Amino acid sequence: MKKNKVVTTEDILLMLCQSVSGVLSSATDTSIQYSAMVQKINKTCLRPDFGCFVLFDGGFSGLVVINFTSQAALEVYTNYMRNMGMPEEELAIHHTSDEVGDVLGELMNQLVGDFTNKIRNELKTNITQNQPKMLAINKQVLISVDTNLDRPQARRVTFSTEGNNIFYLELAMDKTEFIQMEEFKIEENETPDQILEQEQNKKAKVKEVESNQFADDLLDELGI
């Protein structure tokens, strides 16, 4: 009898770590690494200096939190904007700037999107996410999942940037196992580069529409 494959919480966490590392590395054109060791924790927290979180629901429910130090937040933001061609003099210099929060929220959305695609393809179930939330804080804030979890589990993984700045990923979800009963083909996931390219194309289209609208409004004002 064929032994059925079992996917546990740690396997799901590994998928999430791969999404975080892959998307952020591609977006910043730098190396983002995660620790080979995972820490069991009792509760997820938003911690200083910059916390991002997103809830997901569907095949299983949970919460993803990423806590950046001010140095890590600025490094990720700066490298992303440089990779997008932003001039150096236009970059924000404080982690509390709205621009930093917007960029980290956008990246959080991309990496969780990559994670949900992995779940859909490899576990044959669907999860949906809400809009990521970001908060610059100077005190520890305890947050918990607002959905009922029968047997909640929480994990923390340490990440490091190319500049040796640290940030932490925390995952809270119900204790669950996925058991493969039959063989199936895993579809190829979108790569982080493809996800980033899609986001860049969206921005380019928005700028083009805004530029065309501005030109039309100017012509109308001139009566042409």
Side-chain angles (χ1 to χ4, degrees), residues 144-166:
S144 59
V145 183
D146 67 352
T147 51
N148 293 325
L149 298 181
D150 295 329
R151 294 182 296 168
Q153 291 189 313
R155 303 284 188 268
R156 181 188 296 138
V157 179
T158 302
F159 282 73
S160 58
T161 67
E162 197 168 83
N164 293 321
N165 289 310
I166 302 297

PDB file of all heavy atoms in Angstrom, residues 144-166:
ATOM      1  N   SER A 144      -4.260  39.132  17.903  1.00  0.00           N
ATOM      2  CA  SER A 144      -4.635  37.732  17.757  1.00  0.00           C
ATOM      3  C   SER A 144      -5.565  37.572  16.562  1.00  0.00           C
ATOM      4  O   SER A 144      -6.168  38.550  16.093  1.00  0.00           O
ATOM      5  CB  SER A 144      -5.314  37.203  19.027  1.00  0.00           C
ATOM      6  OG  SER A 144      -6.469  37.966  19.299  1.00  0.00           O
ATOM      7  N   VAL A 145      -5.697  36.357  16.064  1.00  0.00           N
ATOM      8  CA  VAL A 145      -6.542  36.077  14.917  1.00  0.00           C
ATOM      9  C   VAL A 145      -8.003  36.276  15.311  1.00  0.00           C
ATOM     10  O   VAL A 145      -8.435  35.828  16.374  1.00  0.00           O
ATOM     11  CB  VAL A 145      -6.314  34.630  14.437  1.00  0.00           C
ATOM     12  CG1 VAL A 145      -7.132  34.355  13.192  1.00  0.00           C
ATOM     13  CG2 VAL A 145      -4.848  34.398  14.164  1.00  0.00           C
ATOM     14  N   ASP A 146      -8.777  36.972  14.464  1.00  0.00           N
ATOM     15  CA  ASP A 146     -10.164  37.235  14.809  1.00  0.00           C
ATOM     16  C   ASP A 146     -11.109  36.149  14.304  1.00  0.00           C
ATOM     17  O   ASP A 146     -12.304  36.359  14.178  1.00  0.00           O
ATOM     18  CB  ASP A 146     -10.599  38.608  14.286  1.00  0.00           C
ATOM     19  CG  ASP A 146     -10.636  38.676  12.766  1.00  0.00           C
ATOM     20  OD1 ASP A 146     -10.182  37.710  12.115  1.00  0.00           O
ATOM     21  OD2 ASP A 146     -11.116  39.684  12.234  1.00  0.00           O
ATOM     22  N   THR A 147     -10.567  34.984  13.978  1.00  0.00           N
ATOM     23  CA  THR A 147     -11.398  33.846  13.610  1.00  0.00           C
ATOM     24  C   THR A 147     -11.169  32.746  14.638  1.00  0.00           C
ATOM     25  O   THR A 147     -10.143  32.703  15.310  1.00  0.00           O
ATOM     26  CB  THR A 147     -11.035  33.309  12.205  1.00  0.00           C
ATOM     27  OG1 THR A 147      -9.626  33.087  12.141  1.00  0.00           O
ATOM     28  CG2 THR A 147     -11.425  34.301  11.130  1.00  0.00           C
ATOM     29  N   ASN A 148     -12.149  31.866  14.768  1.00  0.00           N
ATOM     30  CA  ASN A 148     -12.058  30.810  15.771  1.00  0.00           C
ATOM     31  C   ASN A 148     -11.088  29.719  15.312  1.00  0.00           C
ATOM     32  O   ASN A 148     -11.284  29.112  14.266  1.00  0.00           O
ATOM     33  CB  ASN A 148     -13.444  30.202  16.020  1.00  0.00           C
ATOM     34  CG  ASN A 148     -14.388  31.178  16.682  1.00  0.00           C
ATOM     35  OD1 ASN A 148     -13.966  31.978  17.507  1.00  0.00           O
ATOM     36  ND2 ASN A 148     -15.655  31.130  16.320  1.00  0.00           N
ATOM     37  N   LEU A 149     -10.064  29.483  16.105  1.00  0.00           N
ATOM     38  CA  LEU A 149      -9.114  28.420  15.840  1.00  0.00           C
ATOM     39  C   LEU A 149      -9.252  27.365  16.925  1.00  0.00           C
ATOM     40  O   LEU A 149      -9.177  27.678  18.115  1.00  0.00           O
ATOM     41  CB  LEU A 149      -7.677  28.958  15.813  1.00  0.00           C
ATOM     42  CG  LEU A 149      -7.345  30.010  14.743  1.00  0.00           C
ATOM     43  CD1 LEU A 149      -5.894  30.406  14.841  1.00  0.00           C
ATOM     44  CD2 LEU A 149      -7.687  29.516  13.361  1.00  0.00           C
ATOM     45  N   ASP A 150      -9.487  26.118  16.515  1.00  0.00           N
ATOM     46  CA  ASP A 150      -9.670  25.042  17.498  1.00  0.00           C
ATOM     47  C   ASP A 150      -8.382  24.739  18.244  1.00  0.00           C
ATOM     48  O   ASP A 150      -8.372  24.607  19.462  1.00  0.00           O
ATOM     49  CB  ASP A 150     -10.182  23.774  16.798  1.00  0.00           C
ATOM     50  CG  ASP A 150     -11.574  23.974  16.207  1.00  0.00           C
ATOM     51  OD1 ASP A 150     -12.336  24.765  16.801  1.00  0.00           O
ATOM     52  OD2 ASP A 150     -11.877  23.369  15.173  1.00  0.00           O
ATOM     53  N   ARG A 151      -7.297  24.615  17.490  1.00  0.00           N
ATOM     54  CA  ARG A 151      -5.998  24.293  18.092  1.00  0.00           C
ATOM     55  C   ARG A 151      -4.941  25.224  17.490  1.00  0.00           C
ATOM     56  O   ARG A 151      -4.186  24.829  16.612  1.00  0.00           O
ATOM     57  CB  ARG A 151      -5.644  22.827  17.836  1.00  0.00           C
ATOM     58  CG  ARG A 151      -6.561  21.829  18.527  1.00  0.00           C
ATOM     59  CD  ARG A 151      -6.113  20.404  18.259  1.00  0.00           C
ATOM     60  NE  ARG A 151      -6.204  20.070  16.835  1.00  0.00           N
ATOM     61  CZ  ARG A 151      -5.667  18.970  16.308  1.00  0.00           C
ATOM     62  NH1 ARG A 151      -4.984  18.134  17.068  1.00  0.00           N
ATOM     63  NH2 ARG A 151      -5.799  18.728  15.018  1.00  0.00           N
ATOM     64  N   PRO A 152      -4.913  26.469  17.942  1.00  0.00           N
ATOM     65  CA  PRO A 152      -3.992  27.443  17.342  1.00  0.00           C
ATOM     66  C   PRO A 152      -2.529  27.098  17.571  1.00  0.00           C
ATOM     67  O   PRO A 152      -2.149  26.625  18.643  1.00  0.00           O
ATOM     68  CB  PRO A 152      -4.365  28.760  18.039  1.00  0.00           C
ATOM     69  CG  PRO A 152      -4.966  28.339  19.332  1.00  0.00           C
ATOM     70  CD  PRO A 152      -5.685  27.055  19.049  1.00  0.00           C
ATOM     71  N   GLN A 153      -1.736  27.318  16.538  1.00  0.00           N
ATOM     72  CA  GLN A 153      -0.293  27.151  16.617  1.00  0.00           C
ATOM     73  C   GLN A 153       0.364  28.425  16.112  1.00  0.00           C
ATOM     74  O   GLN A 153      -0.151  29.073  15.201  1.00  0.00           O
ATOM     75  CB  GLN A 153       0.180  25.972  15.759  1.00  0.00           C
ATOM     76  CG  GLN A 153      -0.238  24.610  16.285  1.00  0.00           C
ATOM     77  CD  GLN A 153       0.434  23.489  15.514  1.00  0.00           C
ATOM     78  OE1 GLN A 153       0.460  23.497  14.298  1.00  0.00           O
ATOM     79  NE2 GLN A 153       1.003  22.535  16.233  1.00  0.00           N
ATOM     80  N   ALA A 154       1.481  28.785  16.700  1.00  0.00           N
ATOM     81  CA  ALA A 154       2.192  29.993  16.284  1.00  0.00           C
ATOM     82  C   ALA A 154       3.672  29.685  16.124  1.00  0.00           C
ATOM     83  O   ALA A 154       4.249  28.930  16.909  1.00  0.00           O
ATOM     84  CB  ALA A 154       1.984  31.117  17.297  1.00  0.00           C
ATOM     85  N   ARG A 155       4.259  30.268  15.085  1.00  0.00           N
ATOM     86  CA  ARG A 155       5.668  30.046  14.777  1.00  0.00           C
ATOM     87  C   ARG A 155       6.326  31.378  14.423  1.00  0.00           C
ATOM     88  O   ARG A 155       5.692  32.286  13.895  1.00  0.00           O
ATOM     89  CB  ARG A 155       5.833  29.086  13.583  1.00  0.00           C
ATOM     90  CG  ARG A 155       5.163  27.723  13.763  1.00  0.00           C
ATOM     91  CD  ARG A 155       5.970  26.844  14.683  1.00  0.00           C
ATOM     92  NE  ARG A 155       5.430  25.491  14.714  1.00  0.00           N
ATOM     93  CZ  ARG A 155       4.523  25.052  15.583  1.00  0.00           C
ATOM     94  NH1 ARG A 155       4.018  25.903  16.483  1.00  0.00           N
ATOM     95  NH2 ARG A 155       4.103  23.810  15.561  1.00  0.00           N
ATOM     96  N   ARG A 156       7.627  31.462  14.691  1.00  0.00           N
ATOM     97  CA  ARG A 156       8.405  32.647  14.315  1.00  0.00           C
ATOM     98  C   ARG A 156       9.663  32.212  13.588  1.00  0.00           C
ATOM     99  O   ARG A 156      10.340  31.273  14.009  1.00  0.00           O
ATOM    100  CB  ARG A 156       8.773  33.475  15.541  1.00  0.00           C
ATOM    101  CG  ARG A 156       9.581  34.744  15.201  1.00  0.00           C
ATOM    102  CD  ARG A 156      10.091  35.446  16.458  1.00  0.00           C
ATOM    103  NE  ARG A 156       8.976  35.924  17.257  1.00  0.00           N
ATOM    104  CZ  ARG A 156       8.915  35.833  18.574  1.00  0.00           C
ATOM    105  NH1 ARG A 156       9.890  35.256  19.261  1.00  0.00           N
ATOM    106  NH2 ARG A 156       7.876  36.310  19.231  1.00  0.00           N
ATOM    107  N   VAL A 157       9.996  32.924  12.507  1.00  0.00           N
ATOM    108  CA  VAL A 157      11.205  32.645  11.726  1.00  0.00           C
ATOM    109  C   VAL A 157      11.973  33.952  11.555  1.00  0.00           C
ATOM    110  O   VAL A 157      11.391  35.003  11.275  1.00  0.00           O
ATOM    111  CB  VAL A 157      10.870  32.053  10.342  1.00  0.00           C
ATOM    112  CG1 VAL A 157      12.155  31.801   9.546  1.00  0.00           C
ATOM    113  CG2 VAL A 157      10.078  30.759  10.485  1.00  0.00           C
ATOM    114  N   THR A 158      13.284  33.882  11.728  1.00  0.00           N
ATOM    115  CA  THR A 158      14.142  35.055  11.580  1.00  0.00           C
ATOM    116  C   THR A 158      14.630  35.181  10.137  1.00  0.00           C
ATOM    117  O   THR A 158      15.096  34.205   9.546  1.00  0.00           O
ATOM    118  CB  THR A 158      15.364  34.950  12.511  1.00  0.00           C
ATOM    119  OG1 THR A 158      14.911  34.819  13.860  1.00  0.00           O
ATOM    120  CG2 THR A 158      16.245  36.181  12.400  1.00  0.00           C
ATOM    121  N   PHE A 159      14.511  36.381   9.590  1.00  0.00           N
ATOM    122  CA  PHE A 159      15.012  36.691   8.248  1.00  0.00           C
ATOM    123  C   PHE A 159      16.131  37.719   8.362  1.00  0.00           C
ATOM    124  O   PHE A 159      16.165  38.523   9.298  1.00  0.00           O
ATOM    125  CB  PHE A 159      13.895  37.267   7.371  1.00  0.00           C
ATOM    126  CG  PHE A 159      12.942  36.240   6.821  1.00  0.00           C
ATOM    127  CD1 PHE A 159      12.017  35.638   7.654  1.00  0.00           C
ATOM    128  CD2 PHE A 159      12.973  35.888   5.481  1.00  0.00           C
ATOM    129  CE1 PHE A 159      11.134  34.693   7.161  1.00  0.00           C
ATOM    130  CE2 PHE A 159      12.099  34.955   4.977  1.00  0.00           C
ATOM    131  CZ  PHE A 159      11.177  34.349   5.822  1.00  0.00           C
ATOM    132  N   SER A 160      17.027  37.712   7.383  1.00  0.00           N
ATOM    133  CA  SER A 160      18.101  38.705   7.351  1.00  0.00           C
ATOM    134  C   SER A 160      18.239  39.267   5.945  1.00  0.00           C
ATOM    135  O   SER A 160      18.081  38.544   4.950  1.00  0.00           O
ATOM    136  CB  SER A 160      19.432  38.096   7.803  1.00  0.00           C
ATOM    137  OG  SER A 160      19.789  36.993   6.983  1.00  0.00           O
ATOM    138  N   THR A 161      18.520  40.557   5.862  1.00  0.00           N
ATOM    139  CA  THR A 161      18.706  41.218   4.581  1.00  0.00           C
ATOM    140  C   THR A 161      20.169  41.101   4.154  1.00  0.00           C
ATOM    141  O   THR A 161      21.018  40.620   4.903  1.00  0.00           O
ATOM    142  CB  THR A 161      18.322  42.699   4.680  1.00  0.00           C
ATOM    143  OG1 THR A 161      19.269  43.350   5.553  1.00  0.00           O
ATOM    144  CG2 THR A 161      16.924  42.867   5.248  1.00  0.00           C
ATOM    145  N   GLU A 162      20.445  41.586   2.967  1.00  0.00           N
ATOM    146  CA  GLU A 162      21.817  41.566   2.470  1.00  0.00           C
ATOM    147  C   GLU A 162      22.718  42.463   3.306  1.00  0.00           C
ATOM    148  O   GLU A 162      23.916  42.217   3.442  1.00  0.00           O
ATOM    149  CB  GLU A 162      21.841  42.010   1.000  1.00  0.00           C
ATOM    150  CG  GLU A 162      23.105  41.656   0.269  1.00  0.00           C
ATOM    151  CD  GLU A 162      22.979  41.850  -1.233  1.00  0.00           C
ATOM    152  OE1 GLU A 162      23.159  43.008  -1.679  1.00  0.00           O
ATOM    153  OE2 GLU A 162      22.686  40.874  -1.940  1.00  0.00           O
ATOM    154  N   GLY A 163      22.113  43.489   3.924  1.00  0.00           N
ATOM    155  CA  GLY A 163      22.874  44.395   4.787  1.00  0.00           C
ATOM    156  C   GLY A 163      22.913  43.931   6.232  1.00  0.00           C
ATOM    157  O   GLY A 163      23.249  44.722   7.118  1.00  0.00           O
ATOM    158  N   ASN A 164      22.560  42.657   6.463  1.00  0.00           N
ATOM    159  CA  ASN A 164      22.572  42.052   7.801  1.00  0.00           C
ATOM    160  C   ASN A 164      21.611  42.714   8.785  1.00  0.00           C
ATOM    161  O   ASN A 164      21.846  42.720   9.997  1.00  0.00           O
ATOM    162  CB  ASN A 164      23.992  42.060   8.391  1.00  0.00           C
ATOM    163  CG  ASN A 164      24.927  41.142   7.631  1.00  0.00           C
ATOM    164  OD1 ASN A 164      24.539  40.050   7.210  1.00  0.00           O
ATOM    165  ND2 ASN A 164      26.165  41.581   7.437  1.00  0.00           N
ATOM    166  N   ASN A 165      20.521  43.272   8.284  1.00  0.00           N
ATOM    167  CA  ASN A 165      19.452  43.754   9.144  1.00  0.00           C
ATOM    168  C   ASN A 165      18.414  42.652   9.307  1.00  0.00           C
ATOM    169  O   ASN A 165      18.194  41.855   8.392  1.00  0.00           O
ATOM    170  CB  ASN A 165      18.815  45.021   8.561  1.00  0.00           C
ATOM    171  CG  ASN A 165      19.749  46.215   8.652  1.00  0.00           C
ATOM    172  OD1 ASN A 165      20.302  46.500   9.700  1.00  0.00           O
ATOM    173  ND2 ASN A 165      19.950  46.900   7.532  1.00  0.00           N
ATOM    174  N   ILE A 166      17.783  42.615  10.471  1.00  0.00           N
ATOM    175  CA  ILE A 166      16.922  41.498  10.831  1.00  0.00           C
ATOM    176  C   ILE A 166      15.450  41.899  10.793  1.00  0.00           C
ATOM    177  O   ILE A 166      15.079  43.017  11.158  1.00  0.00           O
ATOM    178  CB  ILE A 166      17.263  40.995  12.254  1.00  0.00           C
ATOM    179  CG1 ILE A 166      18.735  40.571  12.330  1.00  0.00           C
ATOM    180  CG2 ILE A 166      16.351  39.844  12.671  1.00  0.00           C
ATOM    181  CD1 ILE A 166      19.092  39.415  11.432  1.00  0.00           C
TER     182      ILE A 166
END
